[in-house]
Amino acid sequence: MISRTRLHGLVFVATATAIVMWLSFNFSANLAARGMTIDFGFLSAPTSFPIGESLIAYSSGDTYLRALTAGLLNTIHLALSSIVLATVFGIAVGLAARIGHPLLTSAAKTYVEFTRNVPLLLILVVCATAVRGLPAPRQAWILFDGVILSSRGLYLPMPVFSGGWALGIAAVILASTTSVVWKWSLRGRSRLGSFPFASRISLTFCVAGFASLVVWICLTTSMDWPRLTAFNFRGGWSVTPEYLAMMFGLGFYTSGFIAEIVRGSLAAIPKGQSEAAASLGLSTLLSLWLVQAPQAIRLTLPPLANQYLNLIKNTTLAVLIGFPDLVSVGNTALNQTGRAIETVSIYLLIYLSLSLITSMIIRRLERRAQVVKL
Amino acid sequence: MSGMTLNSINRKGPVKATAISATDVAVEITRVNKWYGEFQVLSDVNLRVMRGERIVVAGPSGSGKSTMIRCMNRLEEHQEGRIVVDGIELTSDLKRIDEVRRDIGMVFQQFNLFPHLTILENCTLAPIWVRKIPKKQAEERAMHFLARVKIPEQAHKYPSQLSGGQQQRVAIARSLCMNPRIMLFDEPTSALDPEMVKEVLETMVTLAEDGMTMICVTHEMGFARQVANRIVFMDGGRIVEQNTPAEFFDNPQHERTRMFLSQILN
Ligand SMILES: Nc1ncnc2c1ncn2[C@@H]1O[C@H](COP(=O)(O)OP(=O)(O)OP(=O)(O)O)[C@@H](O)[C@H]1O
Ligand SMILES: [Mg+2]
């Protein structure tokens, strides 16, 4: 006898396999009928279009594979920075709503309602229009020394490390040694009540190590400052106005949802918890940090993962603004080669992988944040 | 009063009279009024608790008992009148509120232990972060109080692994770790199964014997008779009557008190 669940599993797998087989049979039959073939050979053919911005060197005439890779890197770059922006703003606004100050609460509420009720497309269009209003390079806004905002984008000074590999290896060794020494010292402290002599000596050495590392970095690193040339800036680290528009639009839109997740998860913690914390003399901030947030994190992670997945998929709206993300580059490739099925299946595969990686990371965090121990 | 027993407590005699200070006022509530919207929860409440005194607050449901003691550590704010705890008047000044809360422990009906922390961590959290005591010392102190509430062996478990009675005793130990000068109890045994009520009441009796200033909202009349110096009876947001246990049970002055007693004792 096989168990009932096992049987259900077998039936499910069999059905799914049958459906997939039927679909792919149909698919190849239809392709054959139209005289079409699936061929990814175009990926190694040369392109004939430029890409507005790229993290890797790319110029018209490089392969389609390289063009798509540039697009993919742009997508990842944009998604990551938007996620950071959305998370930072979301957490700040969500916490502001819980501090208990009436002004903060209503400001946070307005922010959330605004972001939730304005369509993303509209926000992006507004952002794109706004960056178009940026001044020409000669009238650029210099926000800080070396931070320049103009119609050519945002320019920042970029550190150039000439210390090379040795520097990186030294930093890694120092960091791992310090973390081991620190853990060992903490064990000593909980045993003796204060740091033992030996660990005080070792910690001093670690601090000295960091100090010399900083000196080394300062000596070997030069800053590459953006400079104004005839019509543009050169040097430094820069992003285009399109990138800025996408990042702010996506970040702003998603941060409202994240704020609501943070606020809601904190509100879901029983009132008795904050009352107990208060009755012990913990301040509002300490109570949030030590008592409420650790319990709320587990509640925030699953919906947070949804927001991140949405954000990643929403990067495809870059097409509308002219930011060369994967889909934007891919559509050009598709138009030029006519390889629709191949291009779309590349999209599918890549967005699926990005989403799965994101879920996996969050799932792992979730396991670590298992709060209520049983 | 014959129908009344100390059903759950071993020691039969009243707790030894420990020194009650004649001059040192622990809590002073003067002409306090409080409203929830239109509804007046506290009306002209006056109460003075001396250091070392043990007060039991009784009264029907909704009479404002919880509200009154929650005003004492400002979990609720009062709109009129004065509340002075340990010489500090409670106003909207957050620093003073925190100062008062450090010195006044509170035990809740629902225990309210922190589920993400072990028993030991529950007991050391506030001493470490509020009193800034070194971790090691805070842990020693926590173990001392956990031993006093008779559960030192549970120190490394999580709250959900303990019975209700054990959790409530941890909650008491957690408060004691802050070295409070006053303890507030809001129906600490009401959420417990009958067989666990006893262990918690015994812990509270020990505390009383040590001379802790205590203000307990409870329906445990046996406990009240054994431990209280004074019973405060509330109804409709007012303090209707306050008296020694003997007078309160055997010679109640007000009709409302008599009615309440006949209900609760039968
Ligand atoms: N947050 C609130 N908003 C509005 N009304 C409230 C609030 N909290 C309490 N009340 C009301 O105030 C009155 C007194 O409540 P309180 O909790 O102090 O009563 P209690 O004497 O402790 O009763 P119990 O024995 O049921 O715990 C009740 O009528 C209650 O409904
Ligand atoms: Mg109550």
Side-chain angles (χ1 to χ4, degrees):
Chain A
M1 268 301 276
I2 39 173
S3 74
R4 216 188 167 88
T5 36
R6 172 86 50 96
L7 188 67
H8 285 170
L10 283 176
V11 170
F12 175 78
V13 170
T15 320
T17 318
I19 291 174
V20 169
M21 279 172 65
W22 178 74
L23 279 177
S24 37
F25 177 76
N26 247 356
F27 183 62
S28 48
N30 281 330
L31 279 182
R34 283 168 182 71
M36 286 165 75
T37 51
I38 294 186
D39 180 7
F40 284 93
F42 76 101
L43 285 176
S44 54
T47 57
S48 55
F49 55 87
I51 294 181
E53 62 184 296
S54 168
L55 293 172
I56 51 174
Y58 168 87
S59 56
S60 181
D62 285 347
T63 61
Y64 277 97
L65 182 62
R66 196 165 180 87
L68 289 173
T69 311
L72 171 62
L73 289 177
N74 279 342
T75 292
I76 294 175
H77 185 205
L78 173 65
L80 283 180
S81 59
S82 309
I83 281 177
V84 171
L85 189 74
T87 310
V88 169
F89 275 81
I91 290 177
V93 174
L95 287 180
R98 293 291 302 173
I99 295 276
H101 193 285
L103 214 64
L104 279 177
T105 309
S106 53
K109 210 175 211 163
T110 313
Y111 186 96
V112 168
E113 287 311 317
F114 187 81
T115 50
R116 286 206 303 187
N117 290 303
V118 179
L120 173 58
L121 202 56
L122 194 60
I123 293 178
L124 289 177
V125 168
V126 169
C127 288
T129 316
V131 295
R132 234 161 262 150
L134 288 172
R138 296 213 164 266
Q139 285 85 44
W141 295 334
I142 300 182
L143 305 177
F144 300 100
D145 203 15
V147 180
I148 302 163
L149 190 60
S150 75
S151 58
R152 297 306 172 115
L154 180 68
Y155 281 76
L156 300 165
M158 182 174 63
V160 182
F161 300 101
S162 46
W165 285 106
L167 191 69
I169 291 170
V172 169
I173 290 177
L174 188 60
S176 44
T177 318
T178 309
S179 90
V180 170
V181 169
W182 179 244
K183 271 185 199 142
W184 169 69
S185 307
L186 282 184
R187 266 205 305 278
R189 187 179 66 169
S190 63
R191 206 156 19 84
L192 301 171
S194 65
F195 286 123
F197 182 67
S199 53
R200 261 183 262 175
I201 297 282
S202 338
L203 284 175
T204 314
F205 272 111
C206 292
V207 172
F210 274 109
S212 35
L213 189 70
V214 168
V215 172
W216 186 8
I217 291 175
C218 289
L219 288 179
T220 55
T221 303
S222 56
M223 287 304 255
D224 182 13
W225 296 86
R227 301 170 302 282
L228 185 66
T229 59
F231 302 106
N232 200 353
F233 295 93
R234 286 216 157 274
W237 182 81
S238 64
V239 289
T240 59
E242 291 78 24
Y243 178 93
L244 284 181
M246 280 306 293
M247 181 180 80
F248 277 108
L250 281 176
F252 174 65
Y253 175 75
T254 312
S255 68
F257 291 87
I258 293 182
E260 189 56 11
I261 291 170
V262 170
R263 192 201 59 76
S265 311
L266 286 170
I269 307 299
K271 205 156 166 265
Q273 292 289 309
S274 55
E275 287 181 351
S279 76
L280 288 165
L282 292 163
S283 63
T284 313
L285 277 179
L286 276 182
S287 158
L288 263 178
W289 177 244
L290 297 169
V291 174
Q292 298 167 61
Q295 297 183 54
I297 276 186
R298 203 180 52 131
L299 301 177
T300 60
L301 286 175
L304 200 59
N306 285 339
Q307 290 307 322
Y308 289 172
L309 297 181
N310 280 343
L311 189 149
I312 291 173
K313 289 184 281 184
N314 284 339
T315 56
T316 52
L317 288 172
V319 173
L320 294 160
I321 285 187
F323 175 73
D325 78 321
L326 175 69
V327 171
S328 163
V329 173
N331 285 357
T332 314
L334 189 158
N335 284 335
Q336 307 235 326
T337 60
R339 289 282 164 196
I341 292 164
E342 292 82 348
T343 320
V344 171
S345 49
I346 289 174
Y347 294 167
L348 273 179
L349 196 70
I350 285 178
Y351 284 102
L352 184 65
S353 321
L354 288 180
S355 296
L356 287 177
I357 291 170
T358 313
S359 323
M360 206 177 67
I361 294 172
I362 296 273
R363 193 77 44 77
R364 187 161 283 195
L365 288 176
E366 229 173 296
R367 265 201 300 275
R368 287 190 55 176
Q370 203 63 275
V371 180
V372 181
K373 310 287 199 304
L374 288 172
Chain B
M1 199 158 260
S2 55
M4 200 174 58
T5 55
L6 290 175
N7 60 357
S8 40
I9 308 177
N10 288 334
R11 302 181 206 74
K12 293 284 176 179
V15 169
K16 267 197 318 288
T18 44
I20 297 175
S21 168
T23 50
D24 192 359
V25 180
V27 180
E28 171 118 56
I29 298 179
T30 328
R31 316 197 61 137
V32 162
N33 289 304
K34 176 174 172 59
W35 290 264
Y36 282 122
E38 293 287 291
F39 176 71
Q40 185 159 12
V41 230
L42 297 178
S43 310
D44 193 28
V45 170
N46 291 283
L47 181 69
R48 172 185 287 178
V49 181
M50 307 306 289
R51 171 110 23 243
E53 223 184 343
R54 298 179 294 275
I55 307 280
V56 161
V57 182
S61 180
S63 57
K65 310 179 294 292
S66 299
T67 308
M68 182 179 75
I69 72 162
R70 286 160 62 87
C71 280
M72 293 182 194
N73 65 351
R74 196 77 174 187
L75 287 183
E76 304 284 350
E77 68 182 89
H78 58 284
Q79 281 108 20
E80 283 177 9
R82 273 163 60 87
I83 300 181
V84 180
V85 178
D86 271 335
I88 304 170
E89 184 179 352
L90 284 169
T91 59
S92 53
D93 181 351
L94 288 178
K95 260 179 86 176
R96 279 205 250 172
I97 293 174
D98 282 342
E99 216 172 303
V100 164
R101 283 174 178 170
R102 256 172 265 161
D103 281 338
I104 191 164
M106 186 165 205
V107 175
F108 301 84
Q109 183 175 353
Q110 301 298 341
F111 329 139
N112 295 343
L113 295 179
F114 306 134
H116 60 300
L117 300 176
T118 63
I119 300 309
L120 190 63
E121 288 164 345
N122 263 277
C123 294
T124 56
L125 186 79
I128 290 174
W129 289 87
V130 179
R131 291 240 190 261
K132 311 269 192 283
I133 293 173
K135 187 172 170 207
K136 177 115 196 302
Q137 204 180 322
E139 281 176 352
E140 275 165 14
R141 197 147 104 190
M143 288 311 295
H144 166 78
F145 284 113
L146 286 175
R148 234 177 91 180
V149 301
K150 304 203 178 68
I151 31 176
E153 71 283 356
Q154 313 284 357
H156 296 285
K157 289 192 180 167
Y158 284 88
S160 54
Q161 295 168 307
L162 269 54
S163 74
Q166 289 173 324
Q167 290 192 45
Q168 193 59 297
R169 283 184 285 152
V170 171
I172 295 173
R174 177 175 71 177
S175 283
L176 293 178
C177 283
M178 284 295 280
N179 266 347
R181 305 183 69 189
I182 302 163
M183 286 286 288
L184 307 175
F185 293 84
D186 191 359
E187 305 200 28
T189 56
S190 300
L192 294 176
D193 292 339
E195 63 268 29
M196 293 174 191
V197 169
K198 183 178 154 192
E199 58 189 55
V200 171
L201 289 181
E202 275 174 358
T203 309
M204 290 168 65
V205 169
T206 327
L207 207 57
E209 285 171 341
D210 290 346
M212 175 67 78
T213 309
M214 292 165 69
I215 302 167
C216 316
V217 175
T218 180
H219 295 300
E220 296 291 330
M221 288 303 133
F223 172 82
R225 189 188 268 274
Q226 187 196 2
V227 166
N229 306 113
R230 188 153 42 117
I231 297 181
V232 171
F233 176 71
M234 290 185 77
D235 192 21
R238 294 175 184 279
I239 294 184
V240 175
E241 174 167 358
Q242 34 180 322
N243 225 326
T244 59
E247 281 291 304
F248 180 80
F249 288 117
D250 301 337
N251 186 18
Q253 300 296 308
H254 290 260
E255 183 50 33
R256 269 309 279 131
T257 320
R258 279 194 282 274
M259 242 169 72
F260 174 75
L261 283 175
S262 70
Q263 275 167 2
I264 200 160
L265 297 175
N266 296 323

